[in-house]
Amino acid sequence: MLDIRDNLEKVQQAVERACRRSSRKPDDVSVIAVSKTVEIERIKLAIEAGVKSLGENRVQEARDKVAALGRPVPWHLIGSLQTNKAKDAVQLFDWIHSVDREELARELDRRGHQAERRVNVLVQVNVGRERQKGGVQPDELKPLLDAITGCRNLDVRGLMCIPPAAESAEASRVWFKHLRELRDAAGLEHCSMEMSGDFEVAIEEGATMVRVGTAIFGPRAPRAAVTEGGA
């Protein structure tokens, strides 16, 4: 547990430094500990160390972990989501970061109604317009937000991005700034930005949620072959 506790303390100190540089309050930034591929016992240690939110990429993996751990902290889905997994996602997660199309939003809304559960969602934006990544194109964001305004069981709370790969954290700044500007224009609350190597820059540019994995849990074990077909 010692390494996780020390790692979490270092992450929190880095959050505080970034907040001071940007004249923000540390309490305004939530650290989501990305626990994908991390074994359950190690996640338990992280919760005991003070982790306040957990992030998972895949519905199936999260199902097993929620069954074992319960809900000591909120669970966030940060990976892409197929429409046919919406029912499970609504039941498992408190936050879904990867809504990127009207069809998915409508299905989440329908499943939320059936489960009598409201879900906090973020709209994923493909800030770098990369073909291999999910997310709505920036110029299509407003029409998507307008289209899902009537979803009564979804609370659209903000935007999320996975920036293009960069050689340095500083090189990601332009993408984080772009997401913040889109968030502000939409009048939303949250910006969810990643990852372990660049979260200080993300905070400086307005992130309210940072998704941090290896900086808390250490290097990930190799993932076994996946047969689920995505999240």
Side-chain angles (χ1 to χ4, degrees):
M1 181 177 179
L2 182 61
D3 63 328
I4 290 180
R5 188 178 294 279
D6 287 347
N7 290 347
L8 182 58
E9 184 175 348
K10 291 175 182 176
V11 167
Q12 291 170 336
Q13 290 172 350
V15 169
E16 291 172 2
R17 289 195 302 269
C19 286
R20 283 197 300 270
R21 289 194 298 269
S22 52
S23 300
R24 300 180 63 195
K25 298 178 181 179
D27 289 347
D28 293 338
V29 179
S30 298
V31 175
I32 300 169
V34 179
S35 51
K36 65 179 183 181
T37 77
V38 177
E39 62 272 24
I40 288 173
E41 288 304 315
R42 200 157 172 76
I43 299 173
K44 286 182 180 178
L45 294 178
I47 294 169
E48 292 172 11
V51 159
K52 292 182 171 59
S53 297
L54 291 166
E56 286 287 330
N57 272 43
R58 295 177 180 273
V59 169
Q60 179 59 51
E61 186 175 346
R63 183 185 296 119
D64 297 339
K65 291 176 179 177
V66 173
L69 296 169
R71 297 179 178 279
V73 298
W75 290 89
H76 296 243
L77 177 64
I78 60 175
S80 61
L81 179 62
Q82 296 177 358
T83 304
N84 62 3
K85 301 288 196 322
K87 178 181 179 181
D88 290 337
V90 163
Q91 294 172 340
L92 289 169
F93 295 101
D94 304 286
W95 291 77
I96 296 174
H97 289 226
S98 48
V99 174
D100 60 0
R101 57 198 184 280
E102 183 178 354
E103 176 191 14
L104 175 58
R106 297 291 182 192
E107 183 64 10
L108 288 169
D109 185 50
R110 185 172 76 88
R111 294 299 186 177
H113 176 73
Q114 291 175 345
E116 297 183 343
R117 190 158 192 258
R118 294 184 66 85
V119 182
N120 296 302
V121 302
L122 305 179
V123 172
Q124 182 176 351
V125 183
N126 189 339
V127 289
R129 301 179 183 270
E130 297 174 280
R131 291 184 179 180
Q132 74 275 19
K133 287 184 179 176
V136 63
Q137 297 295 319
D139 53 359
E140 297 173 358
L141 173 61
K142 188 178 185 305
L144 176 59
L145 290 173
D146 290 344
I148 63 179
T149 297
C151 291
R152 297 182 178 181
N153 288 86
L154 303 184
D155 287 327
V156 182
R157 302 288 301 277
L159 307 179
M160 182 270 264
C161 77
I162 301 174
E167 294 183 357
S168 68
E170 188 62 33
S172 297
R173 186 181 296 275
V174 62
W175 306 116
F176 297 143
K177 179 180 179 182
H178 187 29
L179 189 75
R180 170 174 50 83
E181 291 171 344
L182 291 170
R183 186 274 312 267
D184 291 348
L188 297 171
E189 178 182 4
H190 289 292
C191 279
S192 171
M193 304 175 182
E194 73 166 30
M195 302 219 32
S196 294
D198 54 21
F199 69 87
E200 289 189 60
V201 172
I203 291 170
E204 291 171 3
E205 290 301 331
T208 61
M209 297 178 174
V210 288
R211 310 186 298 275
V212 183
T214 56
I216 294 174
F217 291 107
R220 301 191 185 283
R223 180 186 288 277
V226 175
T227 58
E228 183 186 0

